[in-house]
Amino acid sequence: MSSLVTAWRNLAAYPPGHPARARPWPPPTPGFAPPWPSRGPLVLGISRDALVSGGKKVEASHVRAFARAL
């Protein structure tokens, strides 16, 4: 979650059309495999003050700011 918030904040650092905005996020890592099995898409619920996923509410301060912006 923290990486997602950081990427959202960094997006404002680059103007539209900049090559950094065209790259995939996160950047591909050779040989990387997530430590969990694929179970389908990640679904996030967004409220004014938190994100919800898998029945768990994430309410850290940086996540609250991200949720408000969305």
CSV table of all heavy atoms in Angstrom, one decimal:
chain,number,residue,atom,x,y,z
A,1,MET,N,0.8,-1.2,0.0
A,1,MET,CA,0.0,0.0,0.0
A,1,MET,C,0.9,1.3,0.0
A,1,MET,O,0.6,2.2,-0.7
A,1,MET,CB,-0.9,0.0,1.2
A,1,MET,CG,-2.0,1.0,1.2
A,1,MET,SD,-3.2,0.8,-0.1
A,1,MET,CE,-3.9,-0.7,0.2
A,2,SER,N,1.9,1.2,0.8
A,2,SER,CA,2.8,2.4,0.9
A,2,SER,C,3.4,2.7,-0.5
A,2,SER,O,3.5,3.9,-0.9
A,2,SER,CB,3.9,2.1,1.9
A,2,SER,OG,4.8,3.2,2.0
A,3,SER,N,3.8,1.7,-1.3
A,3,SER,CA,4.4,1.9,-2.6
A,3,SER,C,3.4,2.5,-3.5
A,3,SER,O,3.7,3.4,-4.4
A,3,SER,CB,4.9,0.6,-3.2
A,3,SER,OG,5.9,0.1,-2.4
A,4,LEU,N,2.1,2.1,-3.4
A,4,LEU,CA,1.1,2.7,-4.2
A,4,LEU,C,0.9,4.2,-3.9
A,4,LEU,O,0.8,5.0,-4.8
A,4,LEU,CB,-0.2,2.0,-4.0
A,4,LEU,CG,-1.4,2.4,-4.8
A,4,LEU,CD1,-1.2,2.3,-6.3
A,4,LEU,CD2,-2.7,1.6,-4.4
A,5,VAL,N,0.9,4.5,-2.7
A,5,VAL,CA,0.8,5.9,-2.3
A,5,VAL,C,2.0,6.8,-2.7
A,5,VAL,O,1.8,7.9,-3.3
A,5,VAL,CB,0.6,6.1,-0.7
A,5,VAL,CG1,0.6,7.5,-0.3
A,5,VAL,CG2,-0.7,5.4,-0.3
A,6,THR,N,3.2,6.2,-2.6
A,6,THR,CA,4.4,6.9,-3.1
A,6,THR,C,4.3,7.1,-4.6
A,6,THR,O,4.6,8.2,-5.1
A,6,THR,CB,5.6,6.1,-2.7
A,6,THR,OG1,5.7,5.9,-1.3
A,6,THR,CG2,6.9,6.8,-3.2
A,7,ALA,N,3.9,6.1,-5.3
A,7,ALA,CA,3.8,6.3,-6.8
A,7,ALA,C,2.8,7.4,-7.1
A,7,ALA,O,3.0,8.2,-8.0
A,7,ALA,CB,3.3,5.0,-7.4
A,8,TRP,N,1.6,7.5,-6.4
A,8,TRP,CA,0.6,8.5,-6.6
A,8,TRP,C,1.2,9.9,-6.4
A,8,TRP,O,1.0,10.8,-7.1
A,8,TRP,CB,-0.6,8.2,-5.7
A,8,TRP,CG,-1.5,9.4,-5.6
A,8,TRP,CD1,-2.4,9.8,-6.6
A,8,TRP,CD2,-1.7,10.2,-4.5
A,8,TRP,NE1,-3.1,10.9,-6.1
A,8,TRP,CE2,-2.7,11.1,-4.8
A,8,TRP,CE3,-1.1,10.2,-3.2
A,8,TRP,CZ2,-3.1,12.1,-3.9
A,8,TRP,CZ3,-1.5,11.1,-2.3
A,8,TRP,CH2,-2.5,12.1,-2.6
A,9,ARG,N,2.0,10.0,-5.3
A,9,ARG,CA,2.6,11.3,-5.0
A,9,ARG,C,3.7,11.7,-6.0
A,9,ARG,O,3.8,12.8,-6.4
A,9,ARG,CB,3.3,11.2,-3.6
A,9,ARG,CG,2.3,11.3,-2.5
A,9,ARG,CD,3.1,11.3,-1.2
A,9,ARG,NE,2.1,11.4,-0.1
A,9,ARG,CZ,2.4,11.1,1.2
A,9,ARG,NH1,3.7,10.7,1.5
A,9,ARG,NH2,1.5,11.2,2.1
A,10,ASN,N,4.4,10.7,-6.5
A,10,ASN,CA,5.5,11.0,-7.5
A,10,ASN,C,4.9,11.3,-8.8
A,10,ASN,O,5.6,12.0,-9.6
A,10,ASN,CB,6.4,9.8,-7.6
A,10,ASN,CG,7.3,9.7,-6.4
A,10,ASN,OD1,7.5,10.6,-5.6
A,10,ASN,ND2,7.9,8.5,-6.2
A,11,LEU,N,3.7,10.9,-9.1
A,11,LEU,CA,3.1,11.2,-10.4
A,11,LEU,C,3.0,12.7,-10.7
A,11,LEU,O,3.2,13.2,-11.8
A,11,LEU,CB,1.6,10.6,-10.5
A,11,LEU,CG,0.9,10.6,-11.8
A,11,LEU,CD1,1.7,9.9,-12.8
A,11,LEU,CD2,-0.5,10.1,-11.6
A,12,ALA,N,2.8,13.5,-9.6
A,12,ALA,CA,2.7,14.9,-9.8
A,12,ALA,C,4.0,15.6,-10.1
A,12,ALA,O,4.1,16.7,-10.5
A,12,ALA,CB,2.1,15.5,-8.5
A,13,ALA,N,5.1,14.8,-9.9
A,13,ALA,CA,6.4,15.4,-10.1
A,13,ALA,C,6.8,15.4,-11.6
A,13,ALA,O,7.7,16.1,-12.0
A,13,ALA,CB,7.5,14.5,-9.4
A,14,TYR,N,6.0,14.7,-12.5
A,14,TYR,CA,6.3,14.7,-13.9
A,14,TYR,C,5.2,15.3,-14.7
A,14,TYR,O,4.0,14.9,-14.4
A,14,TYR,CB,6.6,13.2,-14.3
A,14,TYR,CG,7.7,12.6,-13.6
A,14,TYR,CD1,7.5,11.7,-12.6
A,14,TYR,CD2,9.0,12.9,-14.0
A,14,TYR,CE1,8.6,11.1,-11.9
A,14,TYR,CE2,10.1,12.3,-13.4
A,14,TYR,CZ,9.9,11.4,-12.3
A,14,TYR,OH,11.0,10.8,-11.7
A,15,PRO,N,5.5,16.1,-15.7
A,15,PRO,CA,4.4,16.7,-16.5
A,15,PRO,C,3.8,15.6,-17.4
A,15,PRO,O,4.5,14.6,-17.7
A,15,PRO,CB,5.1,17.8,-17.3
A,15,PRO,CG,6.5,17.3,-17.3
A,15,PRO,CD,6.8,16.6,-16.1
A,16,PRO,N,2.6,15.8,-17.9
A,16,PRO,CA,2.0,14.9,-18.9
A,16,PRO,C,3.0,14.7,-20.1
A,16,PRO,O,3.6,15.7,-20.5
A,16,PRO,CB,0.7,15.6,-19.3
A,16,PRO,CG,0.4,16.5,-18.1
A,16,PRO,CD,1.7,16.9,-17.6
A,17,GLY,N,3.1,13.5,-20.6
A,17,GLY,CA,3.9,13.2,-21.7
A,17,GLY,C,5.4,12.9,-21.3
A,17,GLY,O,6.1,12.4,-22.2
A,18,HIS,N,5.7,13.0,-20.1
A,18,HIS,CA,7.1,12.7,-19.6
A,18,HIS,C,7.3,11.1,-19.7
A,18,HIS,O,6.3,10.4,-19.4
A,18,HIS,CB,7.3,13.1,-18.2
A,18,HIS,CG,8.7,13.1,-17.8
A,18,HIS,ND1,9.3,11.9,-17.4
A,18,HIS,CD2,9.7,14.0,-17.7
A,18,HIS,CE1,10.6,12.1,-17.0
A,18,HIS,NE2,10.8,13.4,-17.2
A,19,PRO,N,8.4,10.7,-20.2
A,19,PRO,CA,8.7,9.2,-20.3
A,19,PRO,C,8.4,8.4,-19.0
A,19,PRO,O,8.0,7.3,-19.0
A,19,PRO,CB,10.1,9.1,-20.8
A,19,PRO,CG,10.5,10.4,-21.3
A,19,PRO,CD,9.6,11.4,-20.7
A,20,ALA,N,8.7,9.1,-17.9
A,20,ALA,CA,8.5,8.4,-16.6
A,20,ALA,C,7.1,8.0,-16.3
A,20,ALA,O,6.7,7.1,-15.6
A,20,ALA,CB,9.1,9.2,-15.4
A,21,ARG,N,6.2,8.8,-16.9
A,21,ARG,CA,4.7,8.5,-16.7
A,21,ARG,C,4.2,7.4,-17.7
A,21,ARG,O,3.2,6.9,-17.4
A,21,ARG,CB,3.9,9.8,-17.0
A,21,ARG,CG,4.1,10.8,-15.9
A,21,ARG,CD,3.3,12.0,-16.1
A,21,ARG,NE,2.0,11.8,-15.5
A,21,ARG,CZ,1.2,12.8,-15.2
A,21,ARG,NH1,1.4,14.0,-15.6
A,21,ARG,NH2,0.0,12.6,-14.6
A,22,ALA,N,5.0,7.1,-18.7
A,22,ALA,CA,4.6,6.1,-19.7
A,22,ALA,C,5.1,4.7,-19.3
A,22,ALA,O,4.6,3.7,-19.8
A,22,ALA,CB,5.2,6.5,-21.0
A,23,ARG,N,6.1,4.7,-18.3
A,23,ARG,CA,6.6,3.4,-17.9
A,23,ARG,C,5.6,2.6,-17.0
A,23,ARG,O,4.8,3.2,-16.3
A,23,ARG,CB,7.8,3.6,-17.0
A,23,ARG,CG,9.1,3.9,-17.8
A,23,ARG,CD,10.2,3.8,-16.8
A,23,ARG,NE,10.1,4.9,-15.8
A,23,ARG,CZ,11.0,5.8,-15.5
A,23,ARG,NH1,12.2,5.7,-16.1
A,23,ARG,NH2,10.8,6.7,-14.6
A,24,PRO,N,5.6,1.3,-17.1
A,24,PRO,CA,4.7,0.5,-16.2
A,24,PRO,C,5.1,0.7,-14.7
A,24,PRO,O,6.3,0.9,-14.4
A,24,PRO,CB,4.9,-0.9,-16.6
A,24,PRO,CG,6.3,-0.9,-17.3
A,24,PRO,CD,6.5,0.5,-17.9
A,25,TRP,N,4.2,0.6,-13.8
A,25,TRP,CA,4.5,0.7,-12.4
A,25,TRP,C,3.8,-0.5,-11.8
A,25,TRP,O,2.6,-0.8,-12.0
A,25,TRP,CB,3.9,2.0,-11.8
A,25,TRP,CG,4.4,2.0,-10.4
A,25,TRP,CD1,5.6,2.6,-9.9
A,25,TRP,CD2,3.8,1.5,-9.2
A,25,TRP,NE1,5.7,2.5,-8.6
A,25,TRP,CE2,4.6,1.7,-8.1
A,25,TRP,CE3,2.6,0.7,-9.0
A,25,TRP,CZ2,4.3,1.3,-6.8
A,25,TRP,CZ3,2.3,0.3,-7.7
A,25,TRP,CH2,3.2,0.6,-6.7
A,26,PRO,N,4.5,-1.2,-10.9
A,26,PRO,CA,5.9,-1.1,-10.6
A,26,PRO,C,6.7,-1.6,-11.8
A,26,PRO,O,6.3,-2.4,-12.6
A,26,PRO,CB,6.1,-2.0,-9.4
A,26,PRO,CG,5.0,-3.0,-9.5
A,26,PRO,CD,3.9,-2.3,-10.2
A,27,PRO,N,8.0,-1.1,-11.9
A,27,PRO,CA,8.8,-1.6,-13.0
A,27,PRO,C,9.0,-3.1,-12.9
A,27,PRO,O,9.1,-3.6,-11.8
A,27,PRO,CB,10.2,-0.8,-12.8
A,27,PRO,CG,10.0,0.0,-11.5
A,27,PRO,CD,8.7,-0.2,-11.0
A,28,PRO,N,9.1,-3.7,-14.1
A,28,PRO,CA,9.2,-5.2,-14.1
A,28,PRO,C,10.6,-5.6,-13.5
A,28,PRO,O,11.6,-4.9,-13.7
A,28,PRO,CB,9.2,-5.6,-15.5
A,28,PRO,CG,9.3,-4.3,-16.3
A,28,PRO,CD,9.0,-3.2,-15.4
A,29,THR,N,10.6,-6.6,-12.7
A,29,THR,CA,11.8,-7.1,-12.1
A,29,THR,C,12.1,-8.5,-12.6
A,29,THR,O,11.2,-9.4,-12.4
A,29,THR,CB,11.7,-7.2,-10.6
A,29,THR,OG1,11.3,-5.9,-10.1
A,29,THR,CG2,13.0,-7.6,-9.9
A,30,PRO,N,13.2,-8.8,-13.3
A,30,PRO,CA,13.5,-10.1,-13.8
A,30,PRO,C,13.5,-11.2,-12.7
A,30,PRO,O,14.1,-11.0,-11.7
A,30,PRO,CB,14.9,-10.0,-14.4
A,30,PRO,CG,15.1,-8.5,-14.6
A,30,PRO,CD,14.3,-7.8,-13.5
A,31,GLY,N,12.8,-12.3,-12.9
A,31,GLY,CA,12.7,-13.4,-12.0
A,31,GLY,C,11.9,-13.1,-10.8
A,31,GLY,O,11.9,-14.0,-9.9
A,32,PHE,N,11.2,-12.0,-10.7
A,32,PHE,CA,10.3,-11.8,-9.5
A,32,PHE,C,9.0,-12.6,-9.6
A,32,PHE,O,8.4,-12.6,-10.7
A,32,PHE,CB,10.0,-10.3,-9.4
A,32,PHE,CG,9.0,-10.0,-8.4
A,32,PHE,CD1,9.4,-10.0,-7.0
A,32,PHE,CD2,7.6,-9.8,-8.7
A,32,PHE,CE1,8.4,-9.7,-6.0
A,32,PHE,CE2,6.7,-9.5,-7.7
A,32,PHE,CZ,7.1,-9.5,-6.3
A,33,ALA,N,8.7,-13.2,-8.6
A,33,ALA,CA,7.4,-13.9,-8.5
A,33,ALA,C,6.8,-13.5,-7.1
A,33,ALA,O,7.5,-13.5,-6.1
A,33,ALA,CB,7.5,-15.4,-8.5
A,34,PRO,N,5.6,-13.0,-7.1
A,34,PRO,CA,5.0,-12.6,-5.8
A,34,PRO,C,5.0,-13.8,-4.8
A,34,PRO,O,4.8,-14.9,-5.3
A,34,PRO,CB,3.6,-12.1,-6.1
A,34,PRO,CG,3.3,-12.6,-7.5
A,34,PRO,CD,4.6,-12.9,-8.1
A,35,PRO,N,5.1,-13.6,-3.5
A,35,PRO,CA,5.1,-14.6,-2.5
A,35,PRO,C,3.7,-15.2,-2.2
A,35,PRO,O,3.6,-16.0,-1.4
A,35,PRO,CB,5.7,-14.0,-1.3
A,35,PRO,CG,5.4,-12.5,-1.4
A,35,PRO,CD,5.4,-12.3,-2.9
A,36,TRP,N,2.7,-14.8,-2.9
A,36,TRP,CA,1.4,-15.3,-2.7
A,36,TRP,C,0.8,-15.8,-4.1
A,36,TRP,O,1.2,-15.4,-5.1
A,36,TRP,CB,0.5,-14.2,-2.2
A,36,TRP,CG,0.4,-13.0,-3.1
A,36,TRP,CD1,-0.4,-12.8,-4.2
A,36,TRP,CD2,1.3,-11.9,-3.1
A,36,TRP,NE1,-0.1,-11.6,-4.8
A,36,TRP,CE2,0.9,-11.0,-4.2
A,36,TRP,CE3,2.3,-11.5,-2.3
A,36,TRP,CZ2,1.5,-9.8,-4.4
A,36,TRP,CZ3,3.0,-10.3,-2.6
A,36,TRP,CH2,2.5,-9.5,-3.6
A,37,PRO,N,-0.1,-16.8,-4.0
A,37,PRO,CA,-0.6,-17.3,-5.2
A,37,PRO,C,-1.6,-16.3,-5.8
A,37,PRO,O,-2.2,-15.5,-5.1
A,37,PRO,CB,-1.4,-18.6,-4.8
A,37,PRO,CG,-1.6,-18.4,-3.3
A,37,PRO,CD,-0.5,-17.5,-2.8
A,38,SER,N,-1.7,-16.3,-7.1
A,38,SER,CA,-2.6,-15.4,-7.8
A,38,SER,C,-4.1,-15.9,-7.5
A,38,SER,O,-4.4,-17.0,-7.7
A,38,SER,CB,-2.4,-15.4,-9.3
A,38,SER,OG,-3.3,-14.6,-10.0
A,39,ARG,N,-4.9,-15.0,-7.0
A,39,ARG,CA,-6.3,-15.3,-6.7
A,39,ARG,C,-7.2,-14.4,-7.5
A,39,ARG,O,-8.4,-14.3,-7.1
A,39,ARG,CB,-6.5,-15.1,-5.2
A,39,ARG,CG,-5.7,-16.0,-4.4
A,39,ARG,CD,-6.0,-15.9,-2.9
A,39,ARG,NE,-5.0,-16.5,-2.2
A,39,ARG,CZ,-4.5,-16.1,-1.1
A,39,ARG,NH1,-4.9,-14.9,-0.6
A,39,ARG,NH2,-3.5,-16.7,-0.5
A,40,GLY,N,-6.8,-13.7,-8.5
A,40,GLY,CA,-7.6,-12.9,-9.2
A,40,GLY,C,-7.3,-11.4,-9.0
A,40,GLY,O,-6.3,-11.1,-8.4
A,41,PRO,N,-8.2,-10.5,-9.4
A,41,PRO,CA,-7.8,-9.1,-9.3
A,41,PRO,C,-7.9,-8.6,-7.8
A,41,PRO,O,-8.6,-9.2,-7.0
A,41,PRO,CB,-8.9,-8.4,-10.1
A,41,PRO,CG,-10.1,-9.4,-10.1
A,41,PRO,CD,-9.4,-10.8,-10.1
A,42,LEU,N,-7.1,-7.6,-7.6
A,42,LEU,CA,-7.1,-6.9,-6.3
A,42,LEU,C,-8.3,-5.9,-6.3
A,42,LEU,O,-8.3,-5.1,-7.2
A,42,LEU,CB,-5.8,-6.2,-6.0
A,42,LEU,CG,-5.8,-5.3,-4.8
A,42,LEU,CD1,-5.9,-6.1,-3.5
A,42,LEU,CD2,-4.5,-4.5,-4.8
A,43,VAL,N,-9.2,-6.0,-5.3
A,43,VAL,CA,-10.3,-5.1,-5.3
A,43,VAL,C,-10.1,-4.2,-4.1
A,43,VAL,O,-10.0,-4.7,-3.0
A,43,VAL,CB,-11.6,-5.9,-5.2
A,43,VAL,CG1,-12.8,-4.9,-5.1
A,43,VAL,CG2,-11.8,-6.8,-6.4
A,44,LEU,N,-10.1,-2.9,-4.3
A,44,LEU,CA,-10.0,-1.9,-3.2
A,44,LEU,C,-11.3,-1.1,-3.1
A,44,LEU,O,-11.8,-0.6,-4.1
A,44,LEU,CB,-8.9,-0.9,-3.5
A,44,LEU,CG,-7.5,-1.4,-3.4
A,44,LEU,CD1,-6.5,-0.3,-3.8
A,44,LEU,CD2,-7.2,-1.9,-2.0
A,45,GLY,N,-11.8,-1.0,-1.9
A,45,GLY,CA,-12.9,-0.1,-1.7
A,45,GLY,C,-12.3,1.2,-1.2
A,45,GLY,O,-11.3,1.3,-0.5
A,46,ILE,N,-12.9,2.4,-1.6
A,46,ILE,CA,-12.4,3.7,-1.2
A,46,ILE,C,-13.5,4.4,-0.5
A,46,ILE,O,-14.6,4.6,-1.0
A,46,ILE,CB,-12.0,4.5,-2.5
A,46,ILE,CG1,-11.0,3.7,-3.3
A,46,ILE,CG2,-11.5,5.8,-2.1
A,46,ILE,CD1,-10.8,4.2,-4.7
A,47,SER,N,-13.1,4.9,0.7
A,47,SER,CA,-14.0,5.8,1.5
A,47,SER,C,-13.3,7.1,1.6
A,47,SER,O,-12.2,7.3,1.1
A,47,SER,CB,-14.3,5.2,2.9
A,47,SER,OG,-13.2,5.2,3.7
A,48,ARG,N,-13.9,8.0,2.3
A,48,ARG,CA,-13.3,9.3,2.5
A,48,ARG,C,-12.0,9.3,3.3
A,48,ARG,O,-11.1,10.1,3.2
A,48,ARG,CB,-14.2,10.3,3.2
A,48,ARG,CG,-15.3,10.9,2.2
A,48,ARG,CD,-16.0,11.9,2.9
A,48,ARG,NE,-17.4,11.5,2.9
A,48,ARG,CZ,-18.4,12.0,3.6
A,48,ARG,NH1,-18.1,13.0,4.4
A,48,ARG,NH2,-19.6,11.5,3.6
A,49,ASP,N,-11.9,8.3,4.2
A,49,ASP,CA,-10.7,8.3,5.1
A,49,ASP,C,-10.0,7.0,5.1
A,49,ASP,O,-9.1,6.8,6.0
A,49,ASP,CB,-11.2,8.6,6.5
A,49,ASP,CG,-12.2,7.5,7.0
A,49,ASP,OD1,-12.7,6.7,6.2
A,49,ASP,OD2,-12.5,7.5,8.2
A,50,ALA,N,-10.2,6.1,4.2
A,50,ALA,CA,-9.5,4.8,4.2
A,50,ALA,C,-9.7,4.0,2.9
A,50,ALA,O,-10.5,4.4,2.1
A,50,ALA,CB,-10.1,3.9,5.4
A,51,LEU,N,-8.9,3.0,2.8
A,51,LEU,CA,-9.1,2.0,1.7
A,51,LEU,C,-9.5,0.7,2.4
A,51,LEU,O,-9.0,0.4,3.5
A,51,LEU,CB,-7.8,1.8,0.9
A,51,LEU,CG,-7.3,3.0,0.2
A,51,LEU,CD1,-5.9,2.7,-0.5
A,51,LEU,CD2,-8.2,3.6,-0.8
A,52,VAL,N,-10.3,-0.1,1.7
A,52,VAL,CA,-10.7,-1.4,2.2
A,52,VAL,C,-10.4,-2.5,1.2
A,52,VAL,O,-10.7,-2.3,0.0
A,52,VAL,CB,-12.3,-1.4,2.5
A,52,VAL,CG1,-12.7,-2.7,3.1
A,52,VAL,CG2,-12.6,-0.2,3.4
A,53,SER,N,-9.8,-3.6,1.7
A,53,SER,CA,-9.5,-4.7,0.8
A,53,SER,C,-9.6,-6.0,1.6
A,53,SER,O,-9.1,-6.1,2.7
A,53,SER,CB,-8.1,-4.6,0.2
A,53,SER,OG,-7.8,-5.7,-0.6
A,54,GLY,N,-10.3,-6.9,1.1
A,54,GLY,CA,-10.5,-8.2,1.8
A,54,GLY,C,-11.1,-8.1,3.2
A,54,GLY,O,-10.8,-8.8,4.1
A,55,GLY,N,-12.0,-7.1,3.3
A,55,GLY,CA,-12.6,-6.9,4.6
A,55,GLY,C,-11.8,-6.2,5.7
A,55,GLY,O,-12.2,-6.0,6.8
A,56,LYS,N,-10.6,-5.8,5.3
A,56,LYS,CA,-9.7,-5.0,6.2
A,56,LYS,C,-9.7,-3.6,5.8
A,56,LYS,O,-9.5,-3.3,4.6
A,56,LYS,CB,-8.3,-5.6,6.2
A,56,LYS,CG,-8.3,-7.0,6.8
A,56,LYS,CD,-6.9,-7.6,6.8
A,56,LYS,CE,-6.9,-9.0,7.3
A,56,LYS,NZ,-5.6,-9.6,7.3
A,57,LYS,N,-9.8,-2.7,6.8
A,57,LYS,CA,-9.8,-1.3,6.6
A,57,LYS,C,-8.4,-0.8,6.8
A,57,LYS,O,-7.8,-1.0,7.9
A,57,LYS,CB,-10.8,-0.6,7.5
A,57,LYS,CG,-11.1,0.8,7.1
A,57,LYS,CD,-12.3,1.4,7.9
A,57,LYS,CE,-12.7,2.8,7.5
A,57,LYS,NZ,-13.8,3.3,8.2
A,58,VAL,N,-7.7,-0.1,5.9
A,58,VAL,CA,-6.4,0.5,6.0
A,58,VAL,C,-6.6,2.0,6.3
A,58,VAL,O,-7.1,2.7,5.4
A,58,VAL,CB,-5.5,0.2,4.8
A,58,VAL,CG1,-4.1,0.8,5.0
A,58,VAL,CG2,-5.5,-1.3,4.4
A,59,GLU,N,-6.1,2.4,7.4
A,59,GLU,CA,-6.4,3.8,7.8
A,59,GLU,C,-5.1,4.6,8.2
A,59,GLU,O,-5.2,5.6,8.9
A,59,GLU,CB,-7.3,3.8,9.1
A,59,GLU,CG,-8.7,3.2,8.8
A,59,GLU,CD,-9.5,3.2,10.0
A,59,GLU,OE1,-9.4,2.4,10.9
A,59,GLU,OE2,-10.4,4.2,10.1
A,60,ALA,N,-4.0,4.2,7.7
A,60,ALA,CA,-2.8,5.0,8.0
A,60,ALA,C,-2.9,6.4,7.5
A,60,ALA,O,-3.6,6.6,6.5
A,60,ALA,CB,-1.6,4.3,7.4
A,61,SER,N,-2.2,7.3,8.0
A,61,SER,CA,-2.3,8.7,7.6
A,61,SER,C,-2.0,9.0,6.1
A,61,SER,O,-2.8,9.7,5.5
A,61,SER,CB,-1.4,9.6,8.5
A,61,SER,OG,0.0,9.3,8.3
A,62,HIS,N,-1.0,8.3,5.6
A,62,HIS,CA,-0.7,8.5,4.2
A,62,HIS,C,-1.8,7.8,3.3
A,62,HIS,O,-2.1,8.3,2.2
A,62,HIS,CB,0.7,8.0,3.8
A,62,HIS,CG,0.9,6.5,4.1
A,62,HIS,ND1,1.1,6.0,5.3
A,62,HIS,CD2,1.0,5.5,3.2
A,62,HIS,CE1,1.3,4.7,5.3
A,62,HIS,NE2,1.2,4.3,4.0
A,63,VAL,N,-2.4,6.8,3.8
A,63,VAL,CA,-3.5,6.1,3.0
A,63,VAL,C,-4.7,7.0,3.1
A,63,VAL,O,-5.5,7.1,2.1
A,63,VAL,CB,-3.8,4.7,3.6
A,63,VAL,CG1,-5.0,4.1,2.9
A,63,VAL,CG2,-2.6,3.8,3.4
A,64,ARG,N,-5.0,7.7,4.2
A,64,ARG,CA,-6.1,8.6,4.3
A,64,ARG,C,-6.0,9.7,3.3
A,64,ARG,O,-7.0,10.0,2.6
A,64,ARG,CB,-6.3,9.2,5.7
A,64,ARG,CG,-6.9,8.3,6.7
A,64,ARG,CD,-7.3,9.0,8.0
A,64,ARG,NE,-6.2,9.5,8.7
A,64,ARG,CZ,-5.5,8.8,9.6
A,64,ARG,NH1,-5.9,7.6,9.9
A,64,ARG,NH2,-4.5,9.3,10.2
A,65,ALA,N,-4.8,10.3,3.1
A,65,ALA,CA,-4.6,11.4,2.2
A,65,ALA,C,-4.9,10.8,0.7
A,65,ALA,O,-5.5,11.5,-0.1
A,65,ALA,CB,-3.2,11.9,2.3
A,66,PHE,N,-4.4,9.7,0.4
A,66,PHE,CA,-4.6,9.0,-0.9
A,66,PHE,C,-6.1,8.8,-1.1
A,66,PHE,O,-6.6,9.1,-2.2
A,66,PHE,CB,-3.8,7.7,-0.9
A,66,PHE,CG,-3.9,7.0,-2.2
A,66,PHE,CD1,-3.5,7.6,-3.4
A,66,PHE,CD2,-4.2,5.7,-2.2
A,66,PHE,CE1,-3.5,6.9,-4.6
A,66,PHE,CE2,-4.2,5.0,-3.4
A,66,PHE,CZ,-3.9,5.6,-4.6
A,67,ALA,N,-6.8,8.2,-0.1
A,67,ALA,CA,-8.2,8.0,-0.3
A,67,ALA,C,-9.0,9.3,-0.5
A,67,ALA,O,-9.9,9.3,-1.3
A,67,ALA,CB,-8.8,7.2,1.0
A,68,ARG,N,-8.7,10.3,0.2
A,68,ARG,CA,-9.3,11.6,0.0
A,68,ARG,C,-9.1,12.1,-1.4
A,68,ARG,O,-10.1,12.7,-2.0
A,68,ARG,CB,-8.8,12.7,1.0
A,68,ARG,CG,-9.5,12.6,2.4
A,68,ARG,CD,-9.1,13.7,3.3
A,68,ARG,NE,-8.8,13.2,4.6
A,68,ARG,CZ,-7.6,13.2,5.2
A,68,ARG,NH1,-6.6,13.8,4.7
A,68,ARG,NH2,-7.5,12.6,6.4
A,69,ALA,N,-7.9,12.0,-1.9
A,69,ALA,CA,-7.6,12.4,-3.3
A,69,ALA,C,-8.4,11.7,-4.3
A,69,ALA,O,-8.8,12.2,-5.3
A,69,ALA,CB,-6.1,12.3,-3.6
A,70,LEU,N,-8.6,10.4,-4.1
A,70,LEU,CA,-9.4,9.6,-5.0
A,70,LEU,C,-10.8,9.9,-5.0
A,70,LEU,O,-11.5,9.8,-5.9
A,70,LEU,CB,-9.2,8.1,-4.7
A,70,LEU,CG,-7.7,7.5,-5.0
A,70,LEU,CD1,-7.7,6.1,-4.5
A,70,LEU,CD2,-7.4,7.6,-6.4
